[in-house]
Amino acid sequence: MSILSILLFVGIITLTLAITYFSSKKTKSTSDFYTAGGGLTATQNGLAIAGDFMSAASFLGITGAISLIGFDGFYMSIGNLLGFLFLLYLIAEPMRNLGKYTLADMITARFKSNKVRGTAAASTLVISIFYMIAQLVGGGALISLMLGIDYWIAVVIVGVLMTVYVIFGGMTATSWVQIIKAVLLLGGSLVLTFLVFAKFDFSIIKMFQQIKSASPFGAELANPGNKYSNGLDMISLNMALVLGVAGLPHLLIRFFTVKDAATARKSVYYSTWFIGAFFLMVVFLGFGATVFVGWDEIMAANPAGNMAAPMLALSMGGDFLFAFISAVAFATILAVVSALVLTSASAFAHDIYGQIIKKGKITEKQQMKVARISSIIVAVASILLALVAKNLNVAFLSVLALGIAASANLPVMLCTIYWKRFNSTGAVTGMLVGLISSVVLVLLSPNVWNPEAGKAILTGDPLFPLTNPTIFTVPLGFIGAFLGTVLSSKKKAETGCFEEVLFKTNTGFGISTPKEH
């Protein structure tokens, strides 16, 4: 750990804490705390959304996955990018027009039901914690490598900082930390990609020729099947990536940080370009790490490959680039986990405590106090879970969260917006079936169980054969929503105000100034 590295790390922390300090002066109301007062522009929100996806899972995890397993790691980047098209055309505008602070607000715009709100809040908490574990594992591995400290101490450091950002700065601080780190990460990745491509004499053909002898997979590194030899598993993975984006709560609440649906739509447009450029660079970084760092060295540093990107920076640009890339990756982790803590806290404080327990009779001061306490509780739970998941690839952990989001949230959101007969029983049933089936099948899968000791969390034969269950759980979520609706004894009135929801979805009437669509 050089003096330069220490200075860059301290600089990143100082900058983010300064942002938090100035943001805290502007965070006076629940609207400021949850949505930054709806004052972000499309470009700012687009960068912040991109920042959510240019995370530890993407930068560290996907780079590492590509360096170790080749083409199968590339699935993780292309799937997320395609997911943004789904988000743009079906979800972004209705979400902004119907919601206020949380995913539950959007669904209960049609169903005035505490059961629906509570189930949606529970789903948000589970998905956010799963996704947060991925970021904390990546952050712990990075800080442990850089500072030479124990992994658990590094995870606690990240956990404490993320909690400080949320408690004092709310969404304003979280958004601006995301924006700044997105710009830094795009810039750093561009420099590193240029250096790698220059080593290949700016020839893609030469790159693929060299990777043939750089790993145990040989020429197969550029072909699919190194990890996902099971076709169903591969399809299931891509379903999680494409459909899960539209169900991630910490991403969905970003549409409340802008003034209207038109701006929300533009946010997705801008973020798609930013993320597309980033994921294109990650391909070069992954294969570059395989050739110029070495497959064995990457495995030795971290069996999941999470340290491939910083090690490549050291190989390409020496201590300075290594320190810069590591510091930016650290900022990336801090920003994403802060957004996840904020999402979890808003689900508990606004939905569970404010709307269900207090029945809406709660002051803004009380709600913000509960949100801050919730932030601490969520952070502690996530830190403890991240200690258990130390040796799992962070990109893989994120994919699991995406699978749960696709199964529990997406079916109910689509039915709420587009199905007239859909009712509150169907909403609760759909979310519960998608959520429970996802979590149970993950716990029974090879991710958790392995006959060889040390290869997974538990030793033993998995009861479910696929590493990703999304191919089964998304249909189960839709089936749960359908059966819950058609078998329900509820009266027709319980289908909610569909006509009103459809009108607001397309016009934004009563939410923002109507726009031409």
Side-chain angles (χ1 to χ4, degrees):
M1 184 70 175
S2 66
I3 296 297
L4 177 62
S5 299
I6 295 173
L7 290 175
L8 283 172
F9 266 83
V10 172
I12 288 289
I13 293 172
T14 302
L15 176 62
T16 54
L17 288 176
I19 292 171
T20 304
Y21 173 75
F22 288 110
S23 298
S24 67
K25 295 181 177 296
K26 299 180 180 180
T27 305
K28 304 298 183 184
S29 66
T30 52
S31 177
D32 295 331
F33 187 82
Y34 292 138
T35 66
L40 296 184
T41 66
T43 304
Q44 290 168 349
N45 201 41
L47 274 170
I49 291 171
D52 277 320
F53 270 81
M54 295 187 299
S55 60
S58 300
F59 185 57
L60 300 179
I62 297 178
T63 301
I66 291 174
S67 69
L68 294 180
I69 60 175
F71 190 88
D72 281 8
F74 179 63
Y75 283 135
M76 298 179 187
S77 59
I78 193 66
N80 276 336
L81 185 59
L82 290 174
F84 270 79
L85 296 176
F86 194 84
L87 184 69
L88 175 64
Y89 287 110
L90 292 178
I91 299 297
E93 215 168 309
M95 187 72 187
R96 176 61 188 85
N97 283 337
L98 295 178
K100 183 180 180 183
Y101 295 144
T102 65
L103 170 64
D105 282 340
M106 178 265 191
I107 298 173
T108 54
R110 178 173 174 183
F111 306 113
K112 316 299 182 184
S113 165
N114 282 341
K115 289 182 180 179
V116 173
R117 184 179 289 276
T119 307
S123 174
T124 294
L125 288 167
V126 172
I127 294 166
S128 298
I129 289 175
F130 259 92
Y131 206 81
M132 204 181 315
I133 293 169
Q135 312 306 319
L136 288 172
V137 169
L142 176 67
I143 306 306
S144 178
L145 176 70
M146 289 292 296
L147 302 180
I149 59 178
D150 290 340
Y151 169 81
W152 74 269
I153 297 176
V155 169
V156 171
I157 290 173
V158 177
V160 169
L161 285 171
M162 73 184 185
T163 309
V164 168
Y165 299 152
V166 173
I167 288 176
F168 295 103
M171 179 59 86
T172 303
T174 300
S175 297
W176 278 103
V177 171
Q178 287 279 33
I179 291 167
I180 291 171
K181 75 93 178 182
V183 172
L184 290 175
L185 187 57
L186 283 169
S189 298
L190 181 62
V191 170
L192 191 51
T193 300
F194 178 83
L195 294 174
V196 169
F197 206 22
K199 287 279 189 177
F200 291 121
D201 297 329
F202 300 101
S203 170
I204 294 178
I205 294 175
K206 188 172 182 179
M207 178 181 76
F208 281 105
Q209 287 174 339
Q210 291 194 30
I211 65 174
K212 290 180 180 179
S213 58
S215 83
F217 292 107
E220 293 300 312
L221 191 68
N223 297 325
N226 296 320
K227 179 177 176 63
Y228 299 101
S229 55
N230 185 320
L232 279 179
D233 223 351
M234 184 272 290
I235 296 171
S236 190
L237 167 73
N238 281 281
M239 283 183 65
L241 293 167
V242 174
L243 302 180
V245 169
L248 283 178
H250 76 285
L251 178 63
L252 294 173
I253 66 170
R254 287 227 156 266
F255 298 128
F256 304 140
T257 64
V258 294
K259 62 180 180 179
D260 54 32
T263 310
R265 189 169 61 246
K266 288 179 183 177
S267 298
V268 180
Y269 172 79
Y270 289 133
S271 63
T272 303
W273 280 103
F274 294 136
I275 293 166
F278 173 74
F279 282 146
L280 181 63
M281 291 187 284
V282 165
V283 175
F284 293 98
L285 301 185
F287 285 134
T290 307
V291 175
F292 301 117
V293 176
W295 195 90
D296 292 332
E297 286 74 12
I298 295 170
M299 283 289 292
N302 183 271
N306 295 328
M307 291 301 100
M311 293 171 74
L312 177 64
L314 181 63
S315 174
M316 293 289 103
D319 289 341
F320 176 79
L321 191 57
F322 174 61
F324 177 78
I325 291 295
S326 298
V328 171
F330 179 58
T332 295
I333 293 159
L334 292 177
V336 175
V337 293
S338 298
L340 290 163
V341 171
L342 180 60
T343 303
S344 302
S346 62
F348 184 83
H350 175 67
D351 293 322
I352 297 175
Y353 185 79
Q355 298 298 317
I356 297 176
I357 297 177
K358 301 295 287 186
K359 303 186 186 303
K361 298 176 181 178
I362 181 173
T363 66
E364 290 199 348
K365 185 176 180 181
Q366 289 174 325
Q367 191 170 159
M368 290 181 69
K369 181 180 179 181
V370 174
R372 285 166 172 150
I373 294 172
S374 303
S375 300
I376 297 172
I377 295 171
V378 168
V380 171
S382 300
I383 288 169
L384 294 175
L385 291 170
L387 297 178
V388 177
K390 175 182 178 181
N391 291 321
L392 295 179
N393 181 277
V394 292
F396 159 74
L397 288 169
S398 290
V399 170
L400 291 184
L402 286 163
I404 298 172
S407 307
N409 290 347
L410 184 62
V412 172
M413 291 172 67
L414 292 177
C415 290
T416 298
I417 299 167
Y418 301 109
W419 187 19
K420 183 175 183 178
R421 188 179 173 186
F422 191 49
N423 62 24
S424 57
T425 301
V428 172
T429 306
M431 281 187 283
L432 287 178
V433 170
L435 179 65
I436 294 171
S437 63
S438 297
V439 174
V440 169
L441 291 181
V442 166
L443 292 176
L444 298 177
S445 74
N447 308 305
V448 177
W449 295 89
N450 194 294
E452 298 181 40
K455 293 288 186 178
I457 298 174
L458 299 173
T459 303
D461 293 322
L463 298 178
F464 181 73
L466 303 184
T467 58
N468 193 299
T470 310
I471 193 170
F472 295 105
T473 56
V474 167
L476 284 173
F478 278 105
I479 290 170
F482 175 77
L483 292 179
T485 298
V486 299
L487 298 178
S488 171
S489 60
K490 290 194 178 285
K491 298 177 181 179
K492 187 176 179 180
E494 294 297 324
T495 59
C497 44
F498 176 74
E499 287 76 13
E500 179 184 344
V501 164
L502 188 64
F503 180 67
K504 287 184 176 180
T505 295
N506 289 285
T507 65
F509 182 80
I511 306 295
S512 58
T513 303
K515 300 284 182 181
E516 289 187 4
H517 294 269

mmCIF file of all heavy atoms in Angstrom, residues 6-20 143 147 157 161 165 177 327 330-331 334:
data_model
loop_
_atom_site.group_PDB
_atom_site.id
_atom_site.type_symbol
_atom_site.label_atom_id
_atom_site.label_comp_id
_atom_site.label_asym_id
_atom_site.label_seq_id
_atom_site.Cartn_x
_atom_site.Cartn_y
_atom_site.Cartn_z
ATOM 1 N N ILE A 6 -2.980 5.557 -0.402
ATOM 2 C CA ILE A 6 -3.632 6.044 0.819
ATOM 3 C C ILE A 6 -4.262 7.412 0.573
ATOM 4 O O ILE A 6 -5.405 7.674 0.976
ATOM 5 C CB ILE A 6 -2.622 6.113 1.980
ATOM 6 C CG1 ILE A 6 -2.144 4.696 2.334
ATOM 7 C CG2 ILE A 6 -3.248 6.783 3.194
ATOM 8 C CD1 ILE A 6 -1.017 4.674 3.348
ATOM 9 N N LEU A 7 -3.510 8.300 -0.109
ATOM 10 C CA LEU A 7 -4.014 9.642 -0.374
ATOM 11 C C LEU A 7 -5.262 9.607 -1.257
ATOM 12 O O LEU A 7 -6.225 10.357 -1.021
ATOM 13 C CB LEU A 7 -2.925 10.488 -1.045
ATOM 14 C CG LEU A 7 -1.736 10.874 -0.157
ATOM 15 C CD1 LEU A 7 -0.663 11.597 -0.969
ATOM 16 C CD2 LEU A 7 -2.199 11.761 1.001
ATOM 17 N N LEU A 8 -5.276 8.735 -2.272
ATOM 18 C CA LEU A 8 -6.436 8.647 -3.148
ATOM 19 C C LEU A 8 -7.654 8.102 -2.404
ATOM 20 O O LEU A 8 -8.772 8.577 -2.592
ATOM 21 C CB LEU A 8 -6.118 7.765 -4.362
ATOM 22 C CG LEU A 8 -5.265 8.434 -5.450
ATOM 23 C CD1 LEU A 8 -4.845 7.429 -6.501
ATOM 24 C CD2 LEU A 8 -6.022 9.588 -6.102
ATOM 25 N N PHE A 9 -7.433 7.103 -1.558
ATOM 26 C CA PHE A 9 -8.536 6.563 -0.764
ATOM 27 C C PHE A 9 -9.081 7.634 0.176
ATOM 28 O O PHE A 9 -10.297 7.819 0.291
ATOM 29 C CB PHE A 9 -8.070 5.343 0.035
ATOM 30 C CG PHE A 9 -8.319 4.039 -0.644
ATOM 31 C CD1 PHE A 9 -7.437 3.559 -1.591
ATOM 32 C CD2 PHE A 9 -9.445 3.289 -0.354
ATOM 33 C CE1 PHE A 9 -7.663 2.369 -2.235
ATOM 34 C CE2 PHE A 9 -9.687 2.090 -0.997
ATOM 35 C CZ PHE A 9 -8.792 1.626 -1.937
ATOM 36 N N VAL A 10 -8.189 8.325 0.854
ATOM 37 C CA VAL A 10 -8.612 9.385 1.774
ATOM 38 C C VAL A 10 -9.329 10.493 1.005
ATOM 39 O O VAL A 10 -10.334 11.047 1.469
ATOM 40 C CB VAL A 10 -7.400 9.947 2.543
ATOM 41 C CG1 VAL A 10 -7.799 11.188 3.345
ATOM 42 C CG2 VAL A 10 -6.820 8.891 3.471
ATOM 43 N N GLY A 11 -8.820 10.809 -0.198
ATOM 44 C CA GLY A 11 -9.457 11.826 -1.029
ATOM 45 C C GLY A 11 -10.877 11.455 -1.406
ATOM 46 O O GLY A 11 -11.791 12.290 -1.347
ATOM 47 N N ILE A 12 -11.081 10.184 -1.797
ATOM 48 C CA ILE A 12 -12.424 9.717 -2.159
ATOM 49 C C ILE A 12 -13.363 9.813 -0.963
ATOM 50 O O ILE A 12 -14.497 10.297 -1.070
ATOM 51 C CB ILE A 12 -12.365 8.262 -2.668
ATOM 52 C CG1 ILE A 12 -11.729 8.195 -4.059
ATOM 53 C CG2 ILE A 12 -13.754 7.633 -2.677
ATOM 54 C CD1 ILE A 12 -12.577 8.743 -5.167
ATOM 55 N N ILE A 13 -12.896 9.355 0.191
ATOM 56 C CA ILE A 13 -13.730 9.386 1.392
ATOM 57 C C ILE A 13 -14.051 10.828 1.790
ATOM 58 O O ILE A 13 -15.190 11.159 2.139
ATOM 59 C CB ILE A 13 -13.029 8.651 2.558
ATOM 60 C CG1 ILE A 13 -12.939 7.148 2.242
ATOM 61 C CG2 ILE A 13 -13.787 8.860 3.862
ATOM 62 C CD1 ILE A 13 -12.112 6.366 3.232
ATOM 63 N N THR A 14 -13.043 11.709 1.708
ATOM 64 C CA THR A 14 -13.250 13.117 2.056
ATOM 65 C C THR A 14 -14.260 13.771 1.130
ATOM 66 O O THR A 14 -15.156 14.510 1.566
ATOM 67 C CB THR A 14 -11.916 13.879 1.986
ATOM 68 O OG1 THR A 14 -10.964 13.272 2.865
ATOM 69 C CG2 THR A 14 -12.105 15.336 2.388
ATOM 70 N N LEU A 15 -14.139 13.488 -0.178
ATOM 71 C CA LEU A 15 -15.063 14.057 -1.156
ATOM 72 C C LEU A 15 -16.495 13.604 -0.887
ATOM 73 O O LEU A 15 -17.428 14.418 -0.893
ATOM 74 C CB LEU A 15 -14.635 13.646 -2.570
ATOM 75 C CG LEU A 15 -15.557 14.089 -3.719
ATOM 76 C CD1 LEU A 15 -15.626 15.604 -3.798
ATOM 77 C CD2 LEU A 15 -15.065 13.506 -5.055
ATOM 78 N N THR A 16 -16.680 12.322 -0.647
ATOM 79 C CA THR A 16 -18.033 11.807 -0.417
ATOM 80 C C THR A 16 -18.623 12.323 0.890
ATOM 81 O O THR A 16 -19.823 12.608 0.972
ATOM 82 C CB THR A 16 -18.043 10.267 -0.429
ATOM 83 O OG1 THR A 16 -17.069 9.768 0.500
ATOM 84 C CG2 THR A 16 -17.701 9.729 -1.817
ATOM 85 N N LEU A 17 -17.781 12.455 1.904
ATOM 86 C CA LEU A 17 -18.277 12.999 3.172
ATOM 87 C C LEU A 17 -18.626 14.480 3.040
ATOM 88 O O LEU A 17 -19.581 14.969 3.666
ATOM 89 C CB LEU A 17 -17.234 12.801 4.281
ATOM 90 C CG LEU A 17 -17.051 11.359 4.760
ATOM 91 C CD1 LEU A 17 -15.925 11.281 5.786
ATOM 92 C CD2 LEU A 17 -18.335 10.794 5.350
ATOM 93 N N ALA A 18 -17.865 15.213 2.205
ATOM 94 C CA ALA A 18 -18.179 16.619 1.959
ATOM 95 C C ALA A 18 -19.529 16.744 1.248
ATOM 96 O O ALA A 18 -20.342 17.621 1.575
ATOM 97 C CB ALA A 18 -17.077 17.265 1.117
ATOM 98 N N ILE A 19 -19.753 15.858 0.263
ATOM 99 C CA ILE A 19 -21.047 15.852 -0.427
ATOM 100 C C ILE A 19 -22.172 15.588 0.567
ATOM 101 O O ILE A 19 -23.224 16.234 0.536
ATOM 102 C CB ILE A 19 -21.044 14.770 -1.533
ATOM 103 C CG1 ILE A 19 -20.092 15.160 -2.658
ATOM 104 C CG2 ILE A 19 -22.460 14.564 -2.087
ATOM 105 C CD1 ILE A 19 -19.864 14.057 -3.676
ATOM 106 N N THR A 20 -21.936 14.630 1.469
ATOM 107 C CA THR A 20 -22.940 14.303 2.480
ATOM 108 C C THR A 20 -23.220 15.487 3.389
ATOM 109 O O THR A 20 -24.376 15.773 3.739
ATOM 110 C CB THR A 20 -22.469 13.103 3.321
ATOM 111 O OG1 THR A 20 -22.182 12.005 2.458
ATOM 112 C CG2 THR A 20 -23.526 12.694 4.325
ATOM 113 N N ILE A 143 -10.721 -3.691 -0.222
ATOM 114 C CA ILE A 143 -10.052 -2.977 0.866
ATOM 115 C C ILE A 143 -9.083 -3.902 1.604
ATOM 116 O O ILE A 143 -8.012 -3.488 2.044
ATOM 117 C CB ILE A 143 -11.086 -2.385 1.854
ATOM 118 C CG1 ILE A 143 -12.086 -1.520 1.096
ATOM 119 C CG2 ILE A 143 -10.396 -1.574 2.937
ATOM 120 C CD1 ILE A 143 -11.452 -0.450 0.249
ATOM 121 N N LEU A 147 -5.342 -2.518 1.762
ATOM 122 C CA LEU A 147 -4.829 -2.074 3.053
ATOM 123 C C LEU A 147 -4.127 -3.180 3.841
ATOM 124 O O LEU A 147 -3.501 -2.912 4.874
ATOM 125 C CB LEU A 147 -5.964 -1.498 3.904
ATOM 126 C CG LEU A 147 -6.739 -0.313 3.313
ATOM 127 C CD1 LEU A 147 -7.824 0.154 4.271
ATOM 128 C CD2 LEU A 147 -5.797 0.842 2.994
ATOM 129 N N ILE A 157 -15.838 -1.326 7.608
ATOM 130 C CA ILE A 157 -15.503 0.038 7.186
ATOM 131 C C ILE A 157 -16.485 0.515 6.117
ATOM 132 O O ILE A 157 -17.043 1.614 6.197
ATOM 133 C CB ILE A 157 -14.054 0.104 6.656
ATOM 134 C CG1 ILE A 157 -13.057 -0.077 7.796
ATOM 135 C CG2 ILE A 157 -13.805 1.441 5.948
ATOM 136 C CD1 ILE A 157 -11.614 -0.196 7.340
ATOM 137 N N LEU A 161 -19.436 3.595 6.531
ATOM 138 C CA LEU A 161 -19.476 4.758 5.643
ATOM 139 C C LEU A 161 -20.805 4.858 4.905
ATOM 140 O O LEU A 161 -21.385 5.941 4.808
ATOM 141 C CB LEU A 161 -18.315 4.690 4.641
ATOM 142 C CG LEU A 161 -16.935 5.032 5.197
ATOM 143 C CD1 LEU A 161 -15.844 4.714 4.184
ATOM 144 C CD2 LEU A 161 -16.858 6.512 5.587
ATOM 145 N N TYR A 165 -23.651 8.093 4.967
ATOM 146 C CA TYR A 165 -24.182 8.818 3.808
ATOM 147 C C TYR A 165 -25.709 8.899 3.856
ATOM 148 O O TYR A 165 -26.296 9.948 3.608
ATOM 149 C CB TYR A 165 -23.776 8.137 2.497
ATOM 150 C CG TYR A 165 -22.288 8.068 2.262
ATOM 151 C CD1 TYR A 165 -21.741 7.044 1.507
ATOM 152 C CD2 TYR A 165 -21.423 9.015 2.792
ATOM 153 C CE1 TYR A 165 -20.374 6.963 1.279
ATOM 154 C CE2 TYR A 165 -20.059 8.943 2.590
ATOM 155 C CZ TYR A 165 -19.536 7.909 1.832
ATOM 156 O OH TYR A 165 -18.191 7.831 1.619
ATOM 157 N N VAL A 177 -23.037 11.313 -5.069
ATOM 158 C CA VAL A 177 -21.928 10.365 -4.966
ATOM 159 C C VAL A 177 -21.951 9.421 -6.169
ATOM 160 O O VAL A 177 -20.910 9.111 -6.760
ATOM 161 C CB VAL A 177 -21.992 9.578 -3.645
ATOM 162 C CG1 VAL A 177 -20.980 8.434 -3.640
ATOM 163 C CG2 VAL A 177 -21.716 10.502 -2.456
ATOM 164 N N ALA A 327 -9.354 3.065 -5.851
ATOM 165 C CA ALA A 327 -10.083 4.104 -5.128
ATOM 166 C C ALA A 327 -11.445 4.355 -5.758
ATOM 167 O O ALA A 327 -12.456 4.538 -5.060
ATOM 168 C CB ALA A 327 -9.260 5.392 -5.096
ATOM 169 N N PHE A 330 -13.733 1.586 -4.962
ATOM 170 C CA PHE A 330 -14.187 1.769 -3.585
ATOM 171 C C PHE A 330 -15.346 2.762 -3.534
ATOM 172 O O PHE A 330 -16.361 2.532 -2.865
ATOM 173 C CB PHE A 330 -13.016 2.263 -2.733
ATOM 174 C CG PHE A 330 -13.363 2.513 -1.294
ATOM 175 C CD1 PHE A 330 -13.884 1.509 -0.508
ATOM 176 C CD2 PHE A 330 -13.141 3.761 -0.726
ATOM 177 C CE1 PHE A 330 -14.197 1.740 0.822
ATOM 178 C CE2 PHE A 330 -13.453 3.997 0.602
ATOM 179 C CZ PHE A 330 -13.970 2.991 1.379
ATOM 180 N N ALA A 331 -15.207 3.876 -4.283
ATOM 181 C CA ALA A 331 -16.293 4.863 -4.345
ATOM 182 C C ALA A 331 -17.545 4.257 -4.964
ATOM 183 O O ALA A 331 -18.679 4.549 -4.551
ATOM 184 C CB ALA A 331 -15.843 6.075 -5.161
ATOM 185 N N LEU A 334 -19.307 2.238 -2.298
ATOM 186 C CA LEU A 334 -19.951 3.105 -1.316
ATOM 187 C C LEU A 334 -21.257 3.692 -1.857
ATOM 188 O O LEU A 334 -22.271 3.749 -1.158
ATOM 189 C CB LEU A 334 -19.003 4.238 -0.920
ATOM 190 C CG LEU A 334 -17.750 3.855 -0.125
ATOM 191 C CD1 LEU A 334 -16.898 5.092 0.121
ATOM 192 C CD2 LEU A 334 -18.134 3.205 1.203
#
